[in-house]
């Protein structure tokens, strides 16, 4: 048992997700024997590269690190813009209620139908990403966001038109929510992913909390329509960067090079040649002691092929079967656990937004949209602190635990980030429920303080779940991220649809005491997931759920 992770005693020699980052164990020896080379490719620090890059200069893992980081930076920048869409109207509740002369719960549905659009579009976009790659969806999502933002600003007094524009803004957001984290898995080795995954999650979630701070003041100054127009303007400015500098990140790599995801069986042997067969000499693993990109032929920054939205199929599987694949993963224990860790906290954040809009606008504080927007400052600070803590802990804790485990990396090591999520996130939920229900005593500061803690826990949980999926189930990462996207957005839609009535009927404090306790239980469920995670990975490797349901 490695650091509490129960070993698998099935017929598998190698469980997908388990990897060697430091020592050359039997797995590495098998790859060396099959490739006929003395050493595996390693980083400058001597860490074995997982997965192993091919010798194809078009392999994204062979791009220089600065080039991969540039791609990630552009995707993060666009994710910040895209992430502003969900809370775009959070500070404008009172303004829109008076402008459209509609009840509070109908105004809340402008956000509800937006997140519903994200969830529905995710089901269609994800199989498209599996078949044709991610680039065309990033381009399409960018165009939809620009057009729907112009549409939303021009809706004026047509409430149904604004509702439709919000839905399509959600459709445009879907590729970024669903695929940016998966692109990190395409672009980086296991030991490089932690900080980048923390950055992408900060971009996807952190920017959302700074939006109401700006939009509240913007609405008071020049009108709510300009919050839509500015999204369209910034989107149009960033669109050329996506076109010119974000190539396709999906790549069809030989299975033998995916040393973290391939399956080997104890009943076979390396000497038999049954495992790790390489398709061509060009794909053989070669000796390397430096960054793999340094030995590759130089590539121009922009190529004709790189500018094309499509550059070949990334899988031979049918679109229809891929469309149905996420459904059975809702019952996959590992994926379900990550949905709860990430999605529930995001849903509670949406509920807090409803509380802010309902409580701060009324007595005794009587906040206007500007002051209500400023209440999201705490959430933004919490997102930054969560990002910093996740960045410090994610890779360093995994490497430290790998060394303690004699050089064997287990994806379950990523779940240690749930500990600070439990501490900060649940404390934030309990504290917010107590203080926001009694603003005459606690004022505005303490609800804002605990809101920051809750968001800090949310970011930590988002990073932990994303890293675990990419490292433990990279072969189904896109489908798994679809499940996360659909779950959190449908759950958030349900809270916008009925959350206000729930709060009015039961009171703020009882509701938050209940959901805080639920979140504590969810975080504690990470303990059995940590202990049994490797057995779970082994079970689903030996019992391919897609094959059994004829989805392959």
């Amino acid at each position: 048992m490695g650091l509490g992770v129960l070993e698998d005693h099935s017929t598998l020699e190698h469980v997908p997700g388990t990897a060697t980052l430091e020592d050359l164990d039997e797995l590495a020896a098998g790859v060396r024997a099959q490739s006929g080379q003395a050493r595996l490719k390693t980083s400058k620090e001597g860490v074995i590269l997982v997965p192993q890059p091919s010798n194809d200069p078009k392999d994204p893992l062979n791009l220089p690190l600065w080039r991969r980081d540039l791609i990630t930076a552009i995707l993060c920048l666009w994710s910040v813009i895209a992430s502003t869409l969900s809370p775009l109207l959070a500070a404008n509740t009172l303004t829109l209620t008076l402008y459209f002369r509609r009840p509070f719960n109908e105004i809340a549905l402008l956000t509800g139908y937006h997140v519903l659009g994200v969830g529905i579009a995710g089901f269609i976009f994800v199989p498209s990403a599996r078949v044709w790659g991610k680039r065309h969806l990033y381009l399409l999502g960018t165009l939809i966001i620009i057009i729907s933002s112009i549409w939303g600003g021009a809706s004026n007094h047509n409430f149904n038109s604004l509702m439709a524009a919000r839905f399509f803004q959600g459709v445009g957001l879907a590729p970024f929510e669903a695929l940016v984290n998966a692109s990190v898995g395409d672009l980086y080795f296991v030991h490089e992913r932690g900080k980048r995954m923390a950055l992408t999650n900060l971009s996807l979630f952190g920017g959302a909390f700074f939006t109401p701070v700006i939009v509240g003041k913007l609405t008071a100054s020049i009108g709510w329509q300009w919050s839509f127009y500015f999204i369209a303007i910034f989107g149009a400015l960033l669109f050329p960067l996506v076109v010119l500098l974000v190539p396709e990140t999906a790549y069809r790599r030989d299975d033998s090079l995916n040393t973290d995801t391939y399956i080997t069986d104890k009943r076979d042997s390396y000497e038999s040649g049954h495992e790790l067969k390489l398709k061509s000499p060009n794909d053989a693993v070669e000796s390397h002691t430096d960054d793999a990109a340094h030995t590759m032929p130089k590539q121009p920054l922009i190529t004709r092929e790189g500018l094309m939205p499509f550059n070949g199929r990334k899988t031979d599987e049918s679109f229809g079967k891929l469309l149905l694949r996420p459904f059975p993963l809702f019952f996959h224990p590992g994926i379900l656990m990550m949905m709860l860790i990430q999605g529930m906290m995001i849903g509670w954040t949406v509920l807090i937004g409803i509380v802010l809009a309902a409580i701060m606008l009324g007595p005794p504080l009587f906040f206007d949209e500007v002051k209500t927007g400023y209440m999201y400052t705490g959430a933004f600070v919490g997102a930054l602190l969560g990002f910093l803590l996740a960045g410090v802990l994610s890779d360093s804790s995994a490497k430290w635990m790998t060394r303690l485990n004699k050089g064997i990396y287990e994806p379950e090591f990523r779940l240690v980030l749930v500990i600070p999520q439990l501490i900060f996130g649940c404390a934030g939920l309990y504290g917010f429920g107590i203080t926001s229900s009694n603003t005459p005593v606690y004022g505005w500061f303490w609800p804002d303080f605990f809101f920051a803690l809750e968001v800090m826990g949310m970011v930590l949980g988002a990073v932990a779940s994303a890293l675990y999926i990419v490292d433990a189930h990279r072969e189904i990462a896109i489908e798994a991220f679809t499940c996360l996207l659909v779950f959190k957005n449908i759950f958030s839609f349900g809270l916008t649809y009925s959350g206000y009535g729930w709060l009015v009927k039961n009171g703020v404090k009882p509701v938050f005491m209940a959901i805080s306790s639920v979140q504590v239980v969810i975080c504690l469920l990470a303990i059995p997931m940590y202990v049994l995670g490797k057995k779970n990975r082994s079970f689903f490797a030996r019992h391919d759920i897609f094959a059994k349901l004829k989805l392959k």
Side-chain angles (χ1 to χ4, degrees), residues 209 344-350 352 379 382 421 424-429 432 448-460 512:
F209 299 110
M344 297 293 277
M345 282 295 280
I346 292 174
W348 307 143
T349 306
V350 172
I352 288 177
Q421 182 193 37
F424 295 111
C426 295
L429 286 171
F432 183 86
D448 202 29
F449 173 80
F450 286 112
F451 189 13
L453 291 185
E454 189 273 342
V455 171
M456 189 174 175
M458 186 205 76
V459 171
L460 287 161
F512 272 85

PDB file of all heavy atoms in Angstrom, residues 209 344-350 352 379 382 421 424-429 432 448-460 512:
ATOM      1  N   PHE A 209     -15.457  36.529 -10.569  1.00  0.00           N
ATOM      2  CA  PHE A 209     -15.766  37.240  -9.332  1.00  0.00           C
ATOM      3  C   PHE A 209     -15.352  38.703  -9.365  1.00  0.00           C
ATOM      4  O   PHE A 209     -15.791  39.483  -8.529  1.00  0.00           O
ATOM      5  CB  PHE A 209     -15.105  36.524  -8.148  1.00  0.00           C
ATOM      6  CG  PHE A 209     -15.585  35.119  -7.977  1.00  0.00           C
ATOM      7  CD1 PHE A 209     -14.760  34.045  -8.247  1.00  0.00           C
ATOM      8  CD2 PHE A 209     -16.879  34.862  -7.593  1.00  0.00           C
ATOM      9  CE1 PHE A 209     -15.210  32.747  -8.117  1.00  0.00           C
ATOM     10  CE2 PHE A 209     -17.352  33.568  -7.461  1.00  0.00           C
ATOM     11  CZ  PHE A 209     -16.513  32.507  -7.732  1.00  0.00           C
ATOM     12  N   MET A 344     -20.612  21.037  -6.714  1.00  0.00           N
ATOM     13  CA  MET A 344     -21.430  21.491  -5.591  1.00  0.00           C
ATOM     14  C   MET A 344     -20.946  22.840  -5.074  1.00  0.00           C
ATOM     15  O   MET A 344     -21.751  23.739  -4.799  1.00  0.00           O
ATOM     16  CB  MET A 344     -21.395  20.454  -4.470  1.00  0.00           C
ATOM     17  CG  MET A 344     -21.979  19.100  -4.848  1.00  0.00           C
ATOM     18  SD  MET A 344     -23.766  19.122  -5.157  1.00  0.00           S
ATOM     19  CE  MET A 344     -24.413  19.003  -3.495  1.00  0.00           C
ATOM     20  N   MET A 345     -19.628  23.014  -4.956  1.00  0.00           N
ATOM     21  CA  MET A 345     -19.109  24.285  -4.466  1.00  0.00           C
ATOM     22  C   MET A 345     -19.423  25.423  -5.432  1.00  0.00           C
ATOM     23  O   MET A 345     -19.704  26.552  -5.014  1.00  0.00           O
ATOM     24  CB  MET A 345     -17.599  24.186  -4.240  1.00  0.00           C
ATOM     25  CG  MET A 345     -17.200  23.469  -2.968  1.00  0.00           C
ATOM     26  SD  MET A 345     -17.712  24.308  -1.448  1.00  0.00           S
ATOM     27  CE  MET A 345     -16.449  25.557  -1.298  1.00  0.00           C
ATOM     28  N   ILE A 346     -19.381  25.137  -6.725  1.00  0.00           N
ATOM     29  CA  ILE A 346     -19.739  26.166  -7.704  1.00  0.00           C
ATOM     30  C   ILE A 346     -21.221  26.519  -7.566  1.00  0.00           C
ATOM     31  O   ILE A 346     -21.611  27.690  -7.635  1.00  0.00           O
ATOM     32  CB  ILE A 346     -19.410  25.686  -9.126  1.00  0.00           C
ATOM     33  CG1 ILE A 346     -17.898  25.589  -9.305  1.00  0.00           C
ATOM     34  CG2 ILE A 346     -20.013  26.616 -10.177  1.00  0.00           C
ATOM     35  CD1 ILE A 346     -17.459  25.001 -10.621  1.00  0.00           C
ATOM     36  N   GLY A 347     -22.058  25.518  -7.342  1.00  0.00           N
ATOM     37  CA  GLY A 347     -23.480  25.772  -7.134  1.00  0.00           C
ATOM     38  C   GLY A 347     -23.743  26.619  -5.900  1.00  0.00           C
ATOM     39  O   GLY A 347     -24.566  27.548  -5.923  1.00  0.00           O
ATOM     40  N   TRP A 348     -23.039  26.323  -4.813  1.00  0.00           N
ATOM     41  CA  TRP A 348     -23.218  27.129  -3.598  1.00  0.00           C
ATOM     42  C   TRP A 348     -22.759  28.569  -3.836  1.00  0.00           C
ATOM     43  O   TRP A 348     -23.306  29.505  -3.249  1.00  0.00           O
ATOM     44  CB  TRP A 348     -22.448  26.531  -2.423  1.00  0.00           C
ATOM     45  CG  TRP A 348     -22.710  25.089  -2.118  1.00  0.00           C
ATOM     46  CD1 TRP A 348     -21.800  24.158  -1.696  1.00  0.00           C
ATOM     47  CD2 TRP A 348     -23.969  24.378  -2.167  1.00  0.00           C
ATOM     48  NE1 TRP A 348     -22.391  22.939  -1.504  1.00  0.00           N
ATOM     49  CE2 TRP A 348     -23.724  23.040  -1.776  1.00  0.00           C
ATOM     50  CE3 TRP A 348     -25.271  24.749  -2.514  1.00  0.00           C
ATOM     51  CZ2 TRP A 348     -24.732  22.082  -1.722  1.00  0.00           C
ATOM     52  CZ3 TRP A 348     -26.285  23.779  -2.469  1.00  0.00           C
ATOM     53  CH2 TRP A 348     -26.010  22.481  -2.080  1.00  0.00           C
ATOM     54  N   THR A 349     -21.762  28.756  -4.683  1.00  0.00           N
ATOM     55  CA  THR A 349     -21.309  30.110  -5.018  1.00  0.00           C
ATOM     56  C   THR A 349     -22.406  30.876  -5.744  1.00  0.00           C
ATOM     57  O   THR A 349     -22.618  32.071  -5.493  1.00  0.00           O
ATOM     58  CB  THR A 349     -20.044  30.049  -5.896  1.00  0.00           C
ATOM     59  OG1 THR A 349     -19.051  29.255  -5.244  1.00  0.00           O
ATOM     60  CG2 THR A 349     -19.480  31.434  -6.133  1.00  0.00           C
ATOM     61  N   VAL A 350     -23.109  30.178  -6.642  1.00  0.00           N
ATOM     62  CA  VAL A 350     -24.253  30.797  -7.321  1.00  0.00           C
ATOM     63  C   VAL A 350     -25.326  31.177  -6.309  1.00  0.00           C
ATOM     64  O   VAL A 350     -25.916  32.270  -6.377  1.00  0.00           O
ATOM     65  CB  VAL A 350     -24.821  29.843  -8.383  1.00  0.00           C
ATOM     66  CG1 VAL A 350     -26.130  30.385  -8.957  1.00  0.00           C
ATOM     67  CG2 VAL A 350     -23.813  29.623  -9.506  1.00  0.00           C
ATOM     68  N   ILE A 352     -24.891  31.930  -3.163  1.00  0.00           N
ATOM     69  CA  ILE A 352     -24.413  33.107  -2.432  1.00  0.00           C
ATOM     70  C   ILE A 352     -24.688  34.371  -3.239  1.00  0.00           C
ATOM     71  O   ILE A 352     -25.063  35.412  -2.684  1.00  0.00           O
ATOM     72  CB  ILE A 352     -22.916  32.971  -2.097  1.00  0.00           C
ATOM     73  CG1 ILE A 352     -22.713  31.920  -1.008  1.00  0.00           C
ATOM     74  CG2 ILE A 352     -22.334  34.306  -1.644  1.00  0.00           C
ATOM     75  CD1 ILE A 352     -21.261  31.661  -0.653  1.00  0.00           C
ATOM     76  N   ALA A 379     -14.641  37.843  -2.938  1.00  0.00           N
ATOM     77  CA  ALA A 379     -14.627  36.599  -3.701  1.00  0.00           C
ATOM     78  C   ALA A 379     -13.439  36.566  -4.654  1.00  0.00           C
ATOM     79  O   ALA A 379     -12.797  35.520  -4.836  1.00  0.00           O
ATOM     80  CB  ALA A 379     -15.932  36.450  -4.480  1.00  0.00           C
ATOM     81  N   GLY A 382     -10.395  35.864  -2.687  1.00  0.00           N
ATOM     82  CA  GLY A 382     -10.410  34.443  -2.337  1.00  0.00           C
ATOM     83  C   GLY A 382      -9.980  33.570  -3.502  1.00  0.00           C
ATOM     84  O   GLY A 382      -9.256  32.586  -3.317  1.00  0.00           O
ATOM     85  N   GLN A 421      -9.668  22.562   0.849  1.00  0.00           N
ATOM     86  CA  GLN A 421     -11.034  22.883   0.436  1.00  0.00           C
ATOM     87  C   GLN A 421     -12.001  22.683   1.600  1.00  0.00           C
ATOM     88  O   GLN A 421     -12.889  23.516   1.835  1.00  0.00           O
ATOM     89  CB  GLN A 421     -11.481  22.018  -0.738  1.00  0.00           C
ATOM     90  CG  GLN A 421     -12.893  22.383  -1.216  1.00  0.00           C
ATOM     91  CD  GLN A 421     -13.519  21.364  -2.155  1.00  0.00           C
ATOM     92  OE1 GLN A 421     -13.327  20.170  -1.999  1.00  0.00           O
ATOM     93  NE2 GLN A 421     -14.268  21.841  -3.123  1.00  0.00           N
ATOM     94  N   PHE A 424     -11.170  25.681   4.299  1.00  0.00           N
ATOM     95  CA  PHE A 424     -11.551  27.043   3.917  1.00  0.00           C
ATOM     96  C   PHE A 424     -12.968  27.105   3.345  1.00  0.00           C
ATOM     97  O   PHE A 424     -13.746  27.996   3.709  1.00  0.00           O
ATOM     98  CB  PHE A 424     -10.549  27.585   2.888  1.00  0.00           C
ATOM     99  CG  PHE A 424      -9.160  27.750   3.423  1.00  0.00           C
ATOM    100  CD1 PHE A 424      -8.133  26.927   2.982  1.00  0.00           C
ATOM    101  CD2 PHE A 424      -8.868  28.718   4.370  1.00  0.00           C
ATOM    102  CE1 PHE A 424      -6.849  27.074   3.473  1.00  0.00           C
ATOM    103  CE2 PHE A 424      -7.593  28.869   4.868  1.00  0.00           C
ATOM    104  CZ  PHE A 424      -6.571  28.044   4.418  1.00  0.00           C
ATOM    105  N   GLY A 425     -13.287  26.177   2.436  1.00  0.00           N
ATOM    106  CA  GLY A 425     -14.584  26.233   1.774  1.00  0.00           C
ATOM    107  C   GLY A 425     -15.752  26.045   2.722  1.00  0.00           C
ATOM    108  O   GLY A 425     -16.724  26.806   2.700  1.00  0.00           O
ATOM    109  N   CYS A 426     -15.669  25.043   3.576  1.00  0.00           N
ATOM    110  CA  CYS A 426     -16.783  24.773   4.493  1.00  0.00           C
ATOM    111  C   CYS A 426     -16.876  25.832   5.578  1.00  0.00           C
ATOM    112  O   CYS A 426     -17.974  26.219   5.996  1.00  0.00           O
ATOM    113  CB  CYS A 426     -16.630  23.380   5.101  1.00  0.00           C
ATOM    114  SG  CYS A 426     -16.774  22.061   3.861  1.00  0.00           S
ATOM    115  N   ALA A 427     -15.718  26.337   6.045  1.00  0.00           N
ATOM    116  CA  ALA A 427     -15.742  27.443   7.001  1.00  0.00           C
ATOM    117  C   ALA A 427     -16.413  28.660   6.379  1.00  0.00           C
ATOM    118  O   ALA A 427     -17.185  29.380   7.039  1.00  0.00           O
ATOM    119  CB  ALA A 427     -14.322  27.778   7.445  1.00  0.00           C
ATOM    120  N   GLY A 428     -16.131  28.886   5.093  1.00  0.00           N
ATOM    121  CA  GLY A 428     -16.754  30.006   4.404  1.00  0.00           C
ATOM    122  C   GLY A 428     -18.264  29.856   4.297  1.00  0.00           C
ATOM    123  O   GLY A 428     -19.011  30.828   4.488  1.00  0.00           O
ATOM    124  N   LEU A 429     -18.736  28.642   4.006  1.00  0.00           N
ATOM    125  CA  LEU A 429     -20.183  28.423   3.903  1.00  0.00           C
ATOM    126  C   LEU A 429     -20.883  28.615   5.239  1.00  0.00           C
ATOM    127  O   LEU A 429     -21.913  29.308   5.334  1.00  0.00           O
ATOM    128  CB  LEU A 429     -20.450  27.014   3.367  1.00  0.00           C
ATOM    129  CG  LEU A 429     -20.187  26.784   1.879  1.00  0.00           C
ATOM    130  CD1 LEU A 429     -20.293  25.299   1.541  1.00  0.00           C
ATOM    131  CD2 LEU A 429     -21.173  27.576   1.028  1.00  0.00           C
ATOM    132  N   PHE A 432     -20.665  32.378   6.199  1.00  0.00           N
ATOM    133  CA  PHE A 432     -21.524  33.242   5.398  1.00  0.00           C
ATOM    134  C   PHE A 432     -22.980  33.097   5.826  1.00  0.00           C
ATOM    135  O   PHE A 432     -23.709  34.090   5.923  1.00  0.00           O
ATOM    136  CB  PHE A 432     -21.377  32.918   3.916  1.00  0.00           C
ATOM    137  CG  PHE A 432     -22.189  33.826   3.028  1.00  0.00           C
ATOM    138  CD1 PHE A 432     -21.671  35.036   2.613  1.00  0.00           C
ATOM    139  CD2 PHE A 432     -23.463  33.474   2.612  1.00  0.00           C
ATOM    140  CE1 PHE A 432     -22.405  35.897   1.805  1.00  0.00           C
ATOM    141  CE2 PHE A 432     -24.217  34.312   1.816  1.00  0.00           C
ATOM    142  CZ  PHE A 432     -23.688  35.527   1.405  1.00  0.00           C
ATOM    143  N   ASP A 448     -18.697  39.194   3.434  1.00  0.00           N
ATOM    144  CA  ASP A 448     -17.738  39.275   2.338  1.00  0.00           C
ATOM    145  C   ASP A 448     -16.480  38.466   2.654  1.00  0.00           C
ATOM    146  O   ASP A 448     -15.919  37.806   1.765  1.00  0.00           O
ATOM    147  CB  ASP A 448     -17.370  40.741   2.101  1.00  0.00           C
ATOM    148  CG  ASP A 448     -16.836  40.980   0.695  1.00  0.00           C
ATOM    149  OD1 ASP A 448     -17.230  40.235  -0.218  1.00  0.00           O
ATOM    150  OD2 ASP A 448     -16.031  41.901   0.511  1.00  0.00           O
ATOM    151  N   PHE A 449     -16.045  38.491   3.896  1.00  0.00           N
ATOM    152  CA  PHE A 449     -14.871  37.720   4.316  1.00  0.00           C
ATOM    153  C   PHE A 449     -15.108  36.222   4.127  1.00  0.00           C
ATOM    154  O   PHE A 449     -14.262  35.512   3.562  1.00  0.00           O
ATOM    155  CB  PHE A 449     -14.548  38.031   5.779  1.00  0.00           C
ATOM    156  CG  PHE A 449     -13.466  37.164   6.362  1.00  0.00           C
ATOM    157  CD1 PHE A 449     -12.133  37.423   6.109  1.00  0.00           C
ATOM    158  CD2 PHE A 449     -13.785  36.070   7.166  1.00  0.00           C
ATOM    159  CE1 PHE A 449     -11.127  36.613   6.644  1.00  0.00           C
ATOM    160  CE2 PHE A 449     -12.797  35.261   7.704  1.00  0.00           C
ATOM    161  CZ  PHE A 449     -11.465  35.539   7.442  1.00  0.00           C
ATOM    162  N   PHE A 450     -16.261  35.757   4.583  1.00  0.00           N
ATOM    163  CA  PHE A 450     -16.547  34.326   4.465  1.00  0.00           C
ATOM    164  C   PHE A 450     -16.851  33.922   3.018  1.00  0.00           C
ATOM    165  O   PHE A 450     -16.601  32.777   2.626  1.00  0.00           O
ATOM    166  CB  PHE A 450     -17.694  33.938   5.398  1.00  0.00           C
ATOM    167  CG  PHE A 450     -17.296  33.905   6.842  1.00  0.00           C
ATOM    168  CD1 PHE A 450     -17.800  34.839   7.746  1.00  0.00           C
ATOM    169  CD2 PHE A 450     -16.405  32.953   7.311  1.00  0.00           C
ATOM    170  CE1 PHE A 450     -17.422  34.812   9.079  1.00  0.00           C
ATOM    171  CE2 PHE A 450     -16.019  32.921   8.646  1.00  0.00           C
ATOM    172  CZ  PHE A 450     -16.522  33.857   9.538  1.00  0.00           C
ATOM    173  N   PHE A 451     -17.358  34.856   2.238  1.00  0.00           N
ATOM    174  CA  PHE A 451     -17.529  34.611   0.805  1.00  0.00           C
ATOM    175  C   PHE A 451     -16.160  34.336   0.175  1.00  0.00           C
ATOM    176  O   PHE A 451     -16.001  33.437  -0.659  1.00  0.00           O
ATOM    177  CB  PHE A 451     -18.193  35.829   0.161  1.00  0.00           C
ATOM    178  CG  PHE A 451     -18.628  35.628  -1.271  1.00  0.00           C
ATOM    179  CD1 PHE A 451     -18.690  34.363  -1.865  1.00  0.00           C
ATOM    180  CD2 PHE A 451     -18.995  36.729  -2.049  1.00  0.00           C
ATOM    181  CE1 PHE A 451     -19.106  34.200  -3.173  1.00  0.00           C
ATOM    182  CE2 PHE A 451     -19.405  36.572  -3.360  1.00  0.00           C
ATOM    183  CZ  PHE A 451     -19.456  35.305  -3.921  1.00  0.00           C
ATOM    184  N   ALA A 452     -15.152  35.099   0.598  1.00  0.00           N
ATOM    185  CA  ALA A 452     -13.789  34.895   0.091  1.00  0.00           C
ATOM    186  C   ALA A 452     -13.282  33.505   0.441  1.00  0.00           C
ATOM    187  O   ALA A 452     -12.656  32.829  -0.387  1.00  0.00           O
ATOM    188  CB  ALA A 452     -12.860  35.965   0.663  1.00  0.00           C
ATOM    189  N   LEU A 453     -13.536  33.055   1.671  1.00  0.00           N
ATOM    190  CA  LEU A 453     -13.093  31.716   2.073  1.00  0.00           C
ATOM    191  C   LEU A 453     -13.786  30.640   1.247  1.00  0.00           C
ATOM    192  O   LEU A 453     -13.166  29.652   0.840  1.00  0.00           O
ATOM    193  CB  LEU A 453     -13.367  31.496   3.561  1.00  0.00           C
ATOM    194  CG  LEU A 453     -12.538  32.296   4.568  1.00  0.00           C
ATOM    195  CD1 LEU A 453     -12.866  31.841   5.987  1.00  0.00           C
ATOM    196  CD2 LEU A 453     -11.047  32.141   4.303  1.00  0.00           C
ATOM    197  N   GLU A 454     -15.084  30.829   1.000  1.00  0.00           N
ATOM    198  CA  GLU A 454     -15.833  29.836   0.223  1.00  0.00           C
ATOM    199  C   GLU A 454     -15.281  29.731  -1.189  1.00  0.00           C
ATOM    200  O   GLU A 454     -15.099  28.623  -1.724  1.00  0.00           O
ATOM    201  CB  GLU A 454     -17.312  30.230   0.201  1.00  0.00           C
ATOM    202  CG  GLU A 454     -18.233  29.163  -0.394  1.00  0.00           C
ATOM    203  CD  GLU A 454     -18.367  29.258  -1.913  1.00  0.00           C
ATOM    204  OE1 GLU A 454     -18.045  30.331  -2.468  1.00  0.00           O
ATOM    205  OE2 GLU A 454     -18.784  28.269  -2.535  1.00  0.00           O
ATOM    206  N   VAL A 455     -14.991  30.870  -1.809  1.00  0.00           N
ATOM    207  CA  VAL A 455     -14.454  30.858  -3.164  1.00  0.00           C
ATOM    208  C   VAL A 455     -13.049  30.260  -3.171  1.00  0.00           C
ATOM    209  O   VAL A 455     -12.668  29.535  -4.104  1.00  0.00           O
ATOM    210  CB  VAL A 455     -14.447  32.287  -3.751  1.00  0.00           C
ATOM    211  CG1 VAL A 455     -13.688  32.334  -5.065  1.00  0.00           C
ATOM    212  CG2 VAL A 455     -15.874  32.768  -3.963  1.00  0.00           C
ATOM    213  N   MET A 456     -12.276  30.540  -2.141  1.00  0.00           N
ATOM    214  CA  MET A 456     -10.940  29.938  -2.024  1.00  0.00           C
ATOM    215  C   MET A 456     -11.046  28.416  -2.025  1.00  0.00           C
ATOM    216  O   MET A 456     -10.309  27.721  -2.729  1.00  0.00           O
ATOM    217  CB  MET A 456     -10.292  30.422  -0.730  1.00  0.00           C
ATOM    218  CG  MET A 456      -8.837  30.072  -0.571  1.00  0.00           C
ATOM    219  SD  MET A 456      -8.174  30.853   0.925  1.00  0.00           S
ATOM    220  CE  MET A 456      -6.523  30.155   0.925  1.00  0.00           C
ATOM    221  N   GLY A 457     -11.978  27.885  -1.263  1.00  0.00           N
ATOM    222  CA  GLY A 457     -12.204  26.440  -1.252  1.00  0.00           C
ATOM    223  C   GLY A 457     -12.707  25.931  -2.579  1.00  0.00           C
ATOM    224  O   GLY A 457     -12.339  24.832  -3.020  1.00  0.00           O
ATOM    225  N   MET A 458     -13.535  26.721  -3.261  1.00  0.00           N
ATOM    226  CA  MET A 458     -14.059  26.310  -4.568  1.00  0.00           C
ATOM    227  C   MET A 458     -12.940  26.150  -5.593  1.00  0.00           C
ATOM    228  O   MET A 458     -12.899  25.172  -6.351  1.00  0.00           O
ATOM    229  CB  MET A 458     -15.068  27.345  -5.067  1.00  0.00           C
ATOM    230  CG  MET A 458     -15.780  26.961  -6.344  1.00  0.00           C
ATOM    231  SD  MET A 458     -16.380  28.379  -7.262  1.00  0.00           S
ATOM    232  CE  MET A 458     -14.859  28.989  -7.981  1.00  0.00           C
ATOM    233  N   VAL A 459     -11.998  27.113  -5.614  1.00  0.00           N
ATOM    234  CA  VAL A 459     -10.875  27.043  -6.565  1.00  0.00           C
ATOM    235  C   VAL A 459     -10.006  25.832  -6.263  1.00  0.00           C
ATOM    236  O   VAL A 459      -9.586  25.109  -7.174  1.00  0.00           O
ATOM    237  CB  VAL A 459     -10.043  28.345  -6.511  1.00  0.00           C
ATOM    238  CG1 VAL A 459      -8.760  28.200  -7.320  1.00  0.00           C
ATOM    239  CG2 VAL A 459     -10.866  29.517  -7.040  1.00  0.00           C
ATOM    240  N   LEU A 460      -9.729  25.579  -4.999  1.00  0.00           N
ATOM    241  CA  LEU A 460      -8.919  24.420  -4.617  1.00  0.00           C
ATOM    242  C   LEU A 460      -9.584  23.120  -5.060  1.00  0.00           C
ATOM    243  O   LEU A 460      -8.932  22.211  -5.579  1.00  0.00           O
ATOM    244  CB  LEU A 460      -8.686  24.415  -3.108  1.00  0.00           C
ATOM    245  CG  LEU A 460      -7.706  25.476  -2.593  1.00  0.00           C
ATOM    246  CD1 LEU A 460      -7.897  25.685  -1.089  1.00  0.00           C
ATOM    247  CD2 LEU A 460      -6.270  25.059  -2.885  1.00  0.00           C
ATOM    248  N   PHE A 512     -28.075  27.566   4.787  1.00  0.00           N
ATOM    249  CA  PHE A 512     -26.620  27.464   4.700  1.00  0.00           C
ATOM    250  C   PHE A 512     -26.037  26.503   5.724  1.00  0.00           C
ATOM    251  O   PHE A 512     -24.969  25.920   5.479  1.00  0.00           O
ATOM    252  CB  PHE A 512     -25.982  28.850   4.809  1.00  0.00           C
ATOM    253  CG  PHE A 512     -25.862  29.544   3.484  1.00  0.00           C
ATOM    254  CD1 PHE A 512     -26.926  30.278   2.973  1.00  0.00           C
ATOM    255  CD2 PHE A 512     -24.720  29.432   2.723  1.00  0.00           C
ATOM    256  CE1 PHE A 512     -26.841  30.893   1.740  1.00  0.00           C
ATOM    257  CE2 PHE A 512     -24.612  30.033   1.491  1.00  0.00           C
ATOM    258  CZ  PHE A 512     -25.679  30.776   0.988  1.00  0.00           C
TER     259      PHE A 512
END
